[in-house]
Amino acid sequence: MPDSSGVTVFDDLPKWLVVDEILVWLPAKDVLRCRAVHKSWRSGTSTNAFILNHHHRQPSLPIIQNIEGIYRHAGSPTDKKIQRVLRHVDPFTNEMTVCHAACDGLLILEKQSNFYICNPTTRNAVDVVGFYRLHTSGEHRVLWVSYSKEVSYLVLIGAAVPTKLPDYFVLTVGSDQPRCIQWLTVSKHGYPATQSFNSPPVHNCARLHWAIGLNITVFDTVAETFRQMSRPTQLGDKVTLLDMGGSLALCCTMIDCVNLDVWVLQDYDAETWGFQYRINLSAMEALPPLDMSIKHPPRMALINERELLIEQCVSRLLHCDIAGAFLGNVSNEDPLSRFMLTMHRLQEIIISLPLFEG
């Protein structure tokens, strides 16, 4: 509280102490409010060092969405609700915004065939044609693929080998000069899709990873080249890639839609995998009990190293631990609202995109 002269206790503290030891621990929205209080706070919280230090203290949480907006899990073991981070402009139409990618607190969204980058924390957005952070320069870049009509049709109907290779492009956010790179290896499973709502790439070791067929396609973001990585072939092709605390993981859904097996890449260079744990939905003591007659392929996302979210059926999100113990149902204010678990993650950041400057 200010005294009679209007001076607060913060005015007696060094700027570095306020910025680096107090403001850096606040939630993102509170940091943005503090920027309007004091000029030194605004400048101190706008540096790259502060933004990255603050970002690293934020939890990386699963993204959930429905026709009304985009949400994330609250991240608290005691709070089973979800928090809306972005509201759709018109919730009464069928044009739901689709989240195609997430990186460093930024989202690539699509609505009515238009793509744009959005920061839901600062409410900024940039329109783009069609996303990863280059660790060597700090630049955010977009990777997209362009098919001819003939190639698109052949891939869609499951043809073994498209007759023409697609073109891949890399664009630095804030630049209008995309670079064309070529996917040179023909695969019977087709090509990785950058606009991948169901199976987005996982960022690990400065590379993007897609689970395609019985292999993993890898894009080196520095060399801008593609290659293939091996994985346990006994898991079949019904797998999903996960980021498990900095390690690459695979979630395999069994054909009975009951068991989910998690494997972790133990040695990246040697490409050796190890079984981690199994979640048995039929043994889970959930309230209300799970309807195991529903053969809906479950989807899983990690909250932290011990807790998971599982979409067992449409609009039923389970909060459990890695031992399969039920911790609660994830709920929303509107019990009739239907949610689905995306495979993207949101870790808040207060970075300003280049096109917002000036």
Side-chain angles (χ1 to χ4, degrees):
M1 295 293 291
D3 58 22
S4 57
S5 64
V7 177
T8 69
V9 293
F10 286 105
D11 292 314
D12 298 326
L13 298 176
K15 172 187 173 183
W16 69 266
L17 183 62
V18 175
V19 172
D20 298 336
E21 298 297 332
I22 299 177
L23 298 185
V24 75
W25 291 99
L26 296 180
K29 290 184 178 180
D30 292 335
V31 173
L32 296 177
R33 294 190 185 101
C34 288
R35 286 182 172 182
V37 175
H38 205 289
K39 287 185 178 180
S40 65
W41 294 4
R42 181 178 183 84
S43 61
T45 59
S46 299
T47 65
N48 288 334
F50 177 89
I51 290 173
L52 290 178
N53 285 337
H54 181 269
H55 174 59
H56 291 153
R57 287 174 167 81
Q58 305 305 305
S60 177
L61 300 170
I63 295 176
I64 305 159
Q65 72 177 61
N66 68 356
I67 198 170
E68 295 180 356
I70 294 176
Y71 303 73
R72 71 169 191 170
H73 189 267
S76 170
T78 59
D79 189 350
K80 308 305 180 190
K81 294 188 179 295
I82 54 179
Q83 303 169 340
R84 180 156 53 196
V85 298
L86 196 65
R87 181 194 296 269
H88 298 332
V89 176
D90 187 359
F92 301 103
T93 69
N94 292 324
E95 292 293 337
M96 184 176 75
T97 300
V98 175
C99 179
H100 280 284
C103 176
D104 284 347
L106 308 177
L107 307 176
I108 287 187
L109 306 176
E110 177 197 6
K111 189 168 186 179
Q112 296 178 336
S113 299
N114 294 317
F115 292 84
Y116 56 97
I117 294 179
C118 170
N119 185 336
T121 303
T122 61
R123 303 302 191 204
N124 293 137
V126 172
D127 290 331
V128 296
V129 283
F131 168 47
Y132 58 91
R133 184 170 182 254
L134 192 65
H135 72 283
T136 54
S137 66
E139 297 172 337
H140 284 87
R141 294 183 175 180
V142 179
L143 171 71
W144 83 92
V145 60
S146 175
Y147 293 103
S148 68
K149 291 183 179 180
E150 181 181 14
V151 172
S152 297
Y153 175 71
L154 288 171
V155 171
L156 191 62
I157 64 175
V161 180
T163 57
K164 180 183 177 183
L165 293 175
D167 293 319
Y168 283 82
F169 296 87
V170 171
L171 178 68
T172 300
V173 176
S175 168
D176 59 356
Q177 298 296 323
R179 295 185 310 283
C180 181
I181 59 176
Q182 189 70 56
W183 168 253
L184 297 178
T185 304
V186 176
S187 168
K188 67 179 181 179
H189 299 295
Y191 305 94
T194 55
Q195 299 172 0
S196 44
F197 169 64
N198 290 318
S199 299
V202 172
H203 303 233
N204 188 264
C205 297
R207 298 170 178 89
L208 304 182
H209 304 78
W210 292 264
I212 300 177
L214 299 178
N215 292 294
I216 295 174
T217 297
V218 183
F219 175 70
D220 188 317
T221 60
V222 178
E224 296 185 346
T225 56
F226 288 97
R227 69 176 180 87
Q228 301 251 306
M229 173 187 286
S230 63
R231 66 169 182 82
T233 56
Q234 68 267 31
L235 301 184
D237 58 359
K238 303 301 182 183
V239 299
T240 304
L241 281 175
L242 304 170
D243 181 355
M244 183 176 284
S247 297
L248 200 61
L250 279 169
C251 176
C252 173
T253 303
M254 301 303 178
I255 194 170
D256 57 6
C257 298
V258 171
N259 293 304
L260 292 90
D261 287 354
V262 176
W263 292 64
V264 176
L265 185 61
Q266 298 174 331
D267 188 318
Y268 191 95
D269 294 328
E271 299 182 4
T272 56
W273 297 79
F275 176 77
Q276 196 76 358
Y277 53 82
R278 167 174 289 185
I279 302 295
N280 186 343
L281 295 178
S282 64
M284 186 178 294
E285 298 179 359
L287 293 174
L290 301 182
D291 183 358
M292 300 312 300
S293 66
I294 299 175
K295 298 304 179 182
H296 174 78
R299 297 166 68 87
M300 188 182 80
L302 305 175
I303 298 177
N304 52 48
E305 65 275 7
R306 297 291 307 174
E307 298 173 78
L308 315 167
L309 284 183
I310 296 179
E311 180 186 283
Q312 188 263 338
C313 62
V314 177
S315 294
R316 178 108 192 240
L317 290 180
L318 309 173
H319 183 192
C320 66
D321 64 19
I322 60 175
F326 176 70
L327 301 179
N329 295 295
V330 177
S331 61
N332 183 47
E333 290 80 2
D334 183 3
L336 300 179
S337 209
R338 304 182 69 181
F339 291 94
M340 56 183 169
L341 182 64
T342 75
M343 301 310 295
H344 303 287
R345 305 185 70 82
L346 180 66
Q347 186 178 10
E348 288 188 333
I349 192 170
I350 52 177
I351 192 173
S352 184
L353 294 175
L355 296 184
F356 299 148
E357 303 293 342

